[in-house]
């Protein structure tokens, strides 16, 4: 059944820069009670926790408890994958609680020329088998969104979707650059539907509870939680350099990567690809997708408390630059696409710019000015940004920049 707290919502997106409302940007280095944060110690003791708490209670929702991996199992592996370049592993991560079971499968490719590989970790939208044309990749049998061109009907994946997203994953490029890739089908943690009876949420319900409380996790926080559990596994996989795991995500999964990076400091770097509203973009600009629109179209993504900012962005005590600042001093890459106006490229850029003061507190370089770089001219510092030509997607160009930035900022082998 469905929870219908979405009302009818009249919406025409604004794409006119001159109609962006005037607003004040909250200084990330002034605490909610007005104190100036002058050093990293105060940031870590006072400001970072209060911001984290704000986003947890009012935007993404808190995780109501703890649940450890019950067991993991390597269900398939081959040291000679991708013409001998890579070691492929498929690992089931299993959770058991009160008679309930949930598992997700991590597909990994690790470069054979590295002992412990740095790694990109990210969710996929269409199943692990969609990221690479490799017949050995298992096809998830969990819920899938129907998609005729990918051969997905009756909410089931088929052979037809094998490799369909390979251009957005660039597995060979990643391996050739000395990185591993770990990917998970996001629907295995929580199917992307407006309901809360399946996926991981029910594992935390008390008797009779049917949905999370107003300040508890929506789907994005649940997916972010899954990334942290994947990290628990990676930390004890001796083929991986767990100190160099970069969490990556596109669009709703970019929002997820940002929240995972903010909540789990084990992630050594974070990539937001076209994450837009509720991700890297400033909500107060109300350009393209807005808080009200996203909460109405996807009522299950955020904590219910986030609804109080529908058509009321000005009430936000901190905007999404505060989320980006939570990732400091770890390297952060925010990427936009010129035609992806729905995600507000300028809003994504400005959030990275306004988060920069926190990086500077740590002596790191972020975005030096309010001037956006030209299209296809990446700005690569600890906080990196690019806007490329084209639309809402992940491309080879995007991956080339992420690898270059990871070389310089995370792995330091350039
Ligand atoms: C859109 C949504 C965006 C973005 C996108 C996606 O429909 O409005 O916030 O998340 O979906 O995930 O592809």
């Amino acid at each position: 059944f469905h929870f219908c707290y979405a009302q009818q919502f009249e919406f025409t997106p604004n794409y006119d820069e001159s109609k962006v409302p005037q607003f004040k940007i909250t200084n990330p280095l002034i605490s909610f009670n007005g104190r100036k944060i002058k050093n990293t110690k105060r940031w870590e003791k006072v400001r970072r926790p209060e911001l984290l708490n704000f986003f947890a209670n009012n935007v993404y929702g808190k995780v109501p408890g703890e649940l450890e991996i019950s067991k993991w199992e390597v269900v398939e592996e081959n040291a000679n994958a991708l013409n001998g370049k890579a070691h492929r592993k498929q690992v089931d991560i299993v959770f058991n609680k009160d008679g309930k079971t949930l598992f997700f499968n991590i597909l990994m490719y690790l470069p054979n020329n590295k002992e412990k590989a740095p790694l990109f970790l990210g969710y996929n939208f269409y199943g692990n088998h969609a990221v690479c044309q490799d017949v050995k990749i298992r096809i998830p049998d969990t819920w899938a969104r129907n998609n005729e061109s990918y051969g997905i009907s009756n909410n089931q994946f088929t052979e037809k979707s094998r490799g369909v997203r390979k251009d957005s994953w660039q597995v060979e490029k990643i391996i050739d650059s000395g990185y591993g890739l770990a990917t998970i089908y996001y629907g295995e943690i929580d199917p992307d539907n407006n309901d809360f009876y399946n996926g991981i949420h029910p594992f935390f319900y008390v008797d009779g509870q049917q949905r999370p409380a107003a300040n508890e996790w929506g789907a994005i926080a649940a997916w972010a939680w899954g990334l942290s559990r994947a990290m628990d596994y990676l930390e004890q996989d001796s083929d991986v350099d767990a100190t160099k795991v970069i969490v990556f995500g596109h669009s709703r999964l970019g929002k997820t990567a940002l929240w995972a990076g903010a909540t789990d400091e084990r992630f050594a770097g974070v990539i937001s690809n076209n994450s837009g509203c509720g991700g890297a973009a400033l909500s107060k600009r109300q350009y393209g997708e807005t808080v009200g629109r996203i909460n109405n179209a996807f009522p299950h993504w955020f904590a219910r408390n986030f609804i109080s900012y529908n058509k009321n962005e000005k009430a936000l005590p901190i905007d999404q630059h505060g989320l980006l600042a939570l990732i400091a001093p770890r390297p952060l890459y925010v990427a936009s696409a010129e035609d992806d106006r729905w995600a507000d490229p300028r809003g994504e850029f400005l959030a990275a710019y306004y988060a920069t003061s926190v990086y500077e507190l740590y002596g790191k370089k972020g975005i030096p000015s309010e001037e956006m770089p030209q299209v296809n001219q990446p700005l690569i510092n600890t906080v990196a940004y690019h806007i490329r030509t084209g639309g809402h997607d992940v491309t080879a160009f995007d991956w080339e920049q992420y690898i270059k930035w990871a070389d310089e900022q995370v792995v330091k082998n350039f």
Side-chain angles (χ1 to χ4, degrees):
F1 67 112
H2 289 262
F3 296 103
C4 287
Y5 41 80
Q7 293 109 31
Q8 280 299 77
F9 193 82
E10 295 292 315
F11 188 69
T12 315
N14 173 45
Y15 291 129
D16 181 347
E17 194 61 39
S18 73
K19 295 208 174 102
V20 168
Q22 289 286 323
F23 61 89
K24 234 186 121 252
I25 267 291
T26 308
N27 185 338
L29 294 177
I30 296 179
S31 70
F32 287 141
N33 69 9
R35 290 256 181 79
K36 190 136 188 32
I37 306 296
K38 295 196 181 119
N39 53 51
T40 59
K41 215 168 146 198
R42 300 301 290 164
W43 165 258
E44 284 165 22
K45 237 190 126 156
V46 177
R47 185 60 167 154
R48 189 177 188 283
E50 74 175 17
L51 287 179
L52 195 56
N53 211 36
F54 173 79
F55 283 101
N57 278 295
N58 300 287
V59 183
Y60 304 100
K62 287 161 69 155
V63 182
E66 277 179 33
L67 180 64
E68 284 177 19
I69 296 173
S70 305
K71 72 163 193 197
W72 54 262
E73 192 187 344
V74 180
V75 291
E76 192 273 345
E77 71 180 313
N78 187 314
N80 267 306
L82 305 178
N83 300 318
K85 275 191 217 176
H87 181 173
R88 181 186 60 238
K89 278 197 211 186
Q90 302 185 72
V91 187
D92 276 350
I93 308 294
V94 185
F95 302 90
N96 295 313
K97 195 187 171 194
D98 305 333
K100 289 192 275 286
T101 297
L102 179 137
F103 78 92
F104 61 81
N105 183 276
I106 311 182
L107 165 67
M108 300 167 74
Y109 287 102
L110 300 158
N112 276 337
N113 58 2
K114 277 257 165 84
E115 215 156 275
K116 274 177 168 287
L119 190 95
F120 294 101
L121 166 68
Y123 281 123
N124 60 73
F125 284 90
Y126 290 102
N128 292 348
H129 65 299
V131 310
C132 184
Q133 192 65 55
D134 177 342
V135 295
K136 288 291 162 52
I137 303 173
R138 299 202 165 184
I139 300 181
D141 57 13
T142 20
W143 173 91
R145 177 168 297 100
N146 290 338
N147 181 312
E148 221 177 292
S149 59
Y150 292 169
I152 307 167
S153 58
N154 301 320
N155 302 112
Q156 283 294 302
F157 290 118
T158 63
E159 269 301 327
K160 219 181 147 192
S161 37
R162 192 176 294 284
V164 289
R165 301 296 295 163
K166 65 178 190 317
D167 292 347
S168 290
W169 286 90
Q170 299 289 325
V171 177
E172 300 229 4
K173 195 188 284 294
I174 291 170
I175 294 295
D176 291 344
S177 308
Y179 290 83
L181 173 68
T183 187
I184 302 160
Y185 171 53
Y186 82 131
E188 289 188 314
I189 285 75
D190 185 23
D192 192 357
N193 277 328
N194 182 22
D195 57 50
F196 285 104
Y197 68 85
N198 55 15
I200 196 65
H201 292 100
F203 281 69
F204 294 81
Y205 291 164
V206 295
D207 271 353
Q209 190 178 354
Q210 291 182 325
R211 60 170 171 170
N215 72 337
E216 287 179 348
W217 55 349
I220 291 173
W223 298 323
W225 177 89
L227 291 169
S228 285
R229 301 295 71 77
M231 187 64 182
D232 295 344
Y233 165 77
L234 294 171
E235 277 190 311
Q236 54 72 57
D237 184 324
S238 57
D239 295 332
V240 172
D241 182 350
T243 69
K244 296 189 172 61
V245 174
I246 298 162
V247 65
F248 157 86
H250 169 60
S251 204
R252 69 197 68 181
L253 301 177
K255 309 180 211 294
T256 301
L258 289 169
W259 186 233
T263 50
D264 191 335
E265 296 180 272
R266 293 174 300 173
F267 292 118
V270 182
I271 302 169
S272 152
N273 191 92
N274 308 177
S275 65
C277 180
L282 294 174
S283 300
K284 291 186 185 184
R285 279 172 49 80
Q286 300 173 49
Y287 184 103
E289 189 172 28
T290 63
V291 172
R293 162 64 206 220
I294 205 169
N295 280 327
N296 274 269
F298 307 101
H300 59 297
W301 282 1
F302 296 90
R304 232 167 326 130
N305 277 345
F306 197 36
I307 292 173
S308 63
Y309 298 100
N310 287 3
K311 293 186 171 165
N312 187 28
E313 290 87 349
K314 61 184 176 313
L316 283 163
I318 183 80
D319 209 328
Q320 295 300 108
H321 62 301
L323 171 71
L324 304 188
L326 291 171
I327 294 159
R330 292 162 294 150
L332 164 69
Y333 203 127
V334 175
S336 310
E338 199 180 16
D339 300 336
D340 186 20
R341 296 185 307 162
W342 181 245
D344 186 12
R346 180 154 179 81
E348 296 180 312
F349 170 79
L350 285 175
Y353 170 67
Y354 292 126
T356 289
S357 58
V358 180
Y359 279 83
E360 286 172 349
L361 210 57
Y362 285 92
K364 305 276 181 190
K365 231 172 140 186
I367 305 296
S369 92
E370 268 180 272
E371 197 70 41
M372 279 178 81
Q374 296 298 304
V375 284
N376 303 330
Q377 299 288 318
L379 180 62
I380 298 193
N381 290 322
T382 301
V383 184
Y385 178 84
H386 73 240
I387 176 165
R388 62 157 169 77
T389 41
H392 189 68
D393 201 355
V394 194
T395 68
F397 175 88
D398 293 324
W399 277 110
E400 279 155 24
Q401 314 321 312
Y402 301 151
I403 289 164
K404 182 165 179 258
W405 159 85
D407 283 349
E408 288 178 20
Q409 298 291 335
V410 183
V411 179
K412 303 186 165 72
N413 61 357
F414 52 98

